[in-house]
Amino acid sequence: MSFFQNTCKPKGIGGKIMVHMMNTGHSSMAEWGFTHMEIQSDNVCLDIGCGGGANVRKLLEKSPYGRVVGIDHSEISVEKSKKINKAGIESKRCEILQGDVMKLPFRGETFDVITAFETIYFWPDISEAFKKVYKILKIGGTFMICNESNGENPKDEKWTKIIQGMKIYNSEQIEKSLEDAGFRGVKVDKTKKGWICAVVKKL
């Protein structure tokens, strides 16, 4: 397995290095993403594909009286995420689970906020996954997707050849899949760097 395959599902020593790199390397993009949504102090939040847990920690800071759940299919990511969110877990405000986006273990209308940073590239079927997200999001709740690649730079396609199972989506593909899942009023923002953020509410 190539080192970069760890972006999809971190494993072993290479995976541990990768989750550390993701926590630091994606922090600027994540901060930009968070500016596109309002998080209330008592919100119940979910970060899908939580990786090393840096964004779970940010969500805990932004909802000091709420609760945050992180889920990832990588054992290495779950381990790292639990480590950096130890205080939140001990205070019963945080839970980190190992699981699959296609089999989310939550009841309908559970979360006020759901985030997905740098992860939909690896979801087997985003249309079906978005339907599952729609189901567990509360009425009035917010779903945010944030990626470093907006699908408009041909040079980014090299990563889909290096990383098995990776697919880069453009704004039109993301918006259509969200609307197919039942969402309406998708708002998309992009940067000159090629970052993309899509935010939508469940009405």
Side-chain angles (χ1 to χ4, degrees), residues 115-126:
T115 56
F117 291 92
E118 283 287 274
T119 184
I120 69 165
Y121 309 124
F122 311 114
W123 294 5
D125 183 333
I126 62 166

Side-chain angles (χ1 to χ4, degrees), residues 128-194:
E128 283 303 310
F130 290 168
K131 288 175 185 176
K132 295 179 187 302
V133 170
Y134 186 89
K135 183 179 178 181
I136 64 174
L137 190 64
K138 293 179 183 178
I139 300 293
T142 303
F143 176 37
M144 181 180 73
I145 297 160
C146 198
N147 289 341
E148 281 188 337
S149 178
N150 63 17
E152 295 174 9
N153 185 351
K155 291 181 180 179
D156 288 343
E157 287 301 320
K158 69 180 180 182
W159 295 110
T160 64
K161 295 178 176 67
I162 295 170
I163 303 166
Q164 186 179 357
M166 181 180 187
K167 184 174 180 181
I168 298 173
Y169 300 94
N170 61 36
S171 57
E172 289 79 13
Q173 290 169 318
I174 292 171
E175 188 167 351
K176 183 181 185 305
S177 292
L178 285 168
E179 289 177 348
D180 287 348
F183 290 105
R184 295 291 179 269
V186 185
K187 294 180 180 178
V188 176
D189 190 19
K190 304 173 192 176
T191 71
K192 291 180 180 179
K193 292 181 180 179

Side-chain angles (χ1 to χ4, degrees), residues 60 66 85-94:
L60 284 165
N85 291 291
K86 185 180 177 184
I89 292 168
E90 288 177 349
S91 67
K92 308 294 185 186
R93 289 210 308 117
C94 179

Side-chain angles (χ1 to χ4, degrees), residues 82-101:
K82 283 182 175 179
K83 188 175 181 180
I84 79 161
N85 291 291
K86 185 180 177 184
I89 292 168
E90 288 177 349
S91 67
K92 308 294 185 186
R93 289 210 308 117
C94 179
E95 187 178 9
I96 307 295
L97 305 172
Q98 186 172 358
D100 188 331
V101 66

Side-chain angles (χ1 to χ4, degrees), residues 19-141:
V19 293
H20 175 74
M21 288 171 61
M22 288 191 289
N23 272 357
T24 54
H26 295 160
S27 59
S28 296
M29 181 205 67
E31 286 295 342
W32 172 74
F34 277 124
T35 64
H36 293 80
M37 62 193 300
E38 288 185 17
I39 299 174
Q40 304 303 318
S41 61
D42 61 348
N43 277 171
V44 180
C45 309
L46 171 66
D47 186 33
I48 302 175
C50 65
N55 292 319
V56 169
R57 185 165 57 186
K58 289 188 177 80
L59 286 165
L60 284 165
E61 291 169 359
K62 292 174 183 294
S63 56
Y65 305 106
R67 188 166 170 272
V68 181
V69 180
I71 189 166
D72 200 287
H73 67 168
S74 163
E75 189 177 334
I76 294 289
S77 295
V78 168
E79 181 184 305
K80 177 70 172 180
S81 197
K82 283 182 175 179
K83 188 175 181 180
I84 79 161
N85 291 291
K86 185 180 177 184
I89 292 168
E90 288 177 349
S91 67
K92 308 294 185 186
R93 289 210 308 117
C94 179
E95 187 178 9
I96 307 295
L97 305 172
Q98 186 172 358
D100 188 331
V101 66
M102 305 307 290
K103 298 176 184 176
L104 294 170
F106 310 109
R107 293 185 179 185
E109 299 187 14
T110 295
F111 298 100
D112 300 291
V113 170
I114 299 178
T115 56
F117 291 92
E118 283 287 274
T119 184
I120 69 165
Y121 309 124
F122 311 114
W123 294 5
D125 183 333
I126 62 166
S127 293
E128 283 303 310
F130 290 168
K131 288 175 185 176
K132 295 179 187 302
V133 170
Y134 186 89
K135 183 179 178 181
I136 64 174
L137 190 64
K138 293 179 183 178
I139 300 293

